[in-house]
Amino acid sequence: MSKTAIKSYSLAEMKDKYIGKKGTKDRDQYEYELRMDILGRMIKTARQERKLTQEQLGELVGVQKAQISKLESSANSATIDTVLKVFKALKADIHFNVTIEKQYLQLV
């Protein structure tokens, strides 16, 4: 009785196969949504660490509780200005990294 080797795949290979290769519309959309989800989770985690409710954070930022809720669940509709105000209200630093044609830029 011989054992059949099981082929394993990396996460990158699975994404290439089922979502699309890097640079394709579907893959770019997936990566964007993933980053926005992570950003929302970071906001929620920072808010909870500061022991603030969504309503309290909204008051500090000047927006309604519903906007904080939307931001935490998916930051897709947030403007950069709103995101910066939220992190400022949370007394949290935010850094942006930009790569342009393999040249790395960091905005602090």
Side-chain angles (χ1 to χ4, degrees), residues 6-84:
I6 297 175
K7 171 99 170 101
S8 63
Y9 297 92
S10 69
L11 178 58
E13 290 172 321
M14 295 298 288
K15 286 195 275 186
D16 286 349
K17 182 176 180 178
Y18 293 103
I19 300 168
K21 300 253 185 218
K22 281 188 175 186
T24 62
K25 184 179 175 184
D26 287 344
R27 180 68 172 269
D28 288 347
Q29 182 65 32
Y30 166 81
E31 298 290 344
Y32 172 78
E33 289 173 5
L34 181 62
R35 285 190 298 273
M36 293 301 103
D37 183 58
I38 291 168
L39 180 60
R41 288 176 189 226
M42 290 169 58
I43 290 168
K44 183 176 184 176
T45 299
R47 176 183 60 78
Q48 290 173 333
E49 285 179 5
R50 299 282 189 258
K51 298 186 180 355
L52 294 171
T53 65
Q54 289 178 339
E55 188 171 354
Q56 290 168 326
L57 179 57
E59 288 173 9
L60 290 171
V61 176
V63 299
Q64 297 292 314
K65 173 190 173 203
Q67 189 168 353
I68 298 299
S69 176
K70 286 180 188 176
L71 189 60
E72 289 180 355
S73 64
S74 176
N76 287 351
S77 61
T79 64
I80 294 291
D81 186 50
T82 301
V83 171
L84 292 174

